[in-house]
Amino acid sequence: MSRQRVEAFSDGVFAIAITLLILTITQPDYSKHLANELAQRWPALAAYVVSFAVIGIMWLNHHTIFSHLEYIDRGMFYRNLVLLMTIVFIPYPTGIFGETLRRHGDAKTAAVFYSAAMTVNAMAWTGVWLHASLNRRLLRPDFPEDQRKRATILFSAGVLFYGIATGIAFLNPYLCLGFHGALALYYAFDPISRRVARQQAG
């Protein structure tokens, strides 16, 4: 299958998902206390910022993975489709999480729901990588073998990290949101791609 067409389709889905995030912040009532209404929306804004960073970094890592693929088969296409489904879903738990924090509702349940959605997303990422890398099925010939094994460990660990986030959600919703932000920063460094580039250059 055409890798370029799958990437173009994926880019469009990422763009839609990250744009939908702004809709998770409710409009104020435009009363005489507008400043207070806007200030009260900071939890929703915080959830928006974290999820925006998460999806943006996911797009970067998606590009990184596809840059190391020789070609795309039907199995990879379907696994990528499942991954995209979990990404488009992110604005929904983001909105629930932010609004629940703002309204002082059942924030623990909202945090668990948000973290569970991210855990399923991490599973989808692992599925995409394992399908591409198992027996080097779709990887380019110049992709280093030691980096293949390292990447497999890191992708699998992502499921564990988000599982931990779900546990934190039961303790403190705000701490849970901060933990998700920290995970986004962790994945932002993309150490695999840099190591692979250095080895290929050497």
Side-chain angles (χ1 to χ4, degrees), residues 130-149:
L130 290 178
H131 180 80
S133 65
L134 187 63
N135 297 322
R136 305 185 63 90
R137 182 189 285 119
L138 305 178
L139 293 178
R140 291 170 51 183
D142 60 349
F143 191 88
E145 178 62 17
D146 62 324
Q147 297 305 324
R148 181 183 73 88
K149 295 177 180 177

Side-chain angles (χ1 to χ4, degrees), residues 79-188:
R79 284 167 176 78
N80 185 65
L81 201 61
V82 172
L83 172 63
L84 295 177
M85 180 179 66
T86 66
I87 291 169
V88 173
F89 184 73
I90 290 176
Y92 181 60
T94 299
I96 293 175
F97 196 7
E99 277 298 293
T100 304
L101 288 174
R102 183 178 74 85
R103 299 183 183 187
H104 306 289
D106 187 3
K108 287 186 178 180
T109 299
V112 169
F113 181 47
Y114 182 84
S115 299
M118 291 297 189
T119 302
V120 173
N121 173 264
M123 292 177 179
W125 277 105
T126 303
V128 165
W129 174 253
L130 290 178
H131 180 80
S133 65
L134 187 63
N135 297 322
R136 305 185 63 90
R137 182 189 285 119
L138 305 178
L139 293 178
R140 291 170 51 183
D142 60 349
F143 191 88
E145 178 62 17
D146 62 324
Q147 297 305 324
R148 181 183 73 88
K149 295 177 180 177
R150 186 188 297 270
T152 300
I153 294 173
L154 292 177
F155 273 107
S156 301
V159 179
L160 175 62
F161 291 151
Y162 283 108
I164 293 173
T166 305
I168 295 175
F170 285 101
L171 301 176
N172 187 300
Y174 292 98
L175 182 61
C176 174
L177 185 61
F179 187 76
H180 280 285
L183 284 178
L185 291 177
Y186 167 76
Y187 284 110

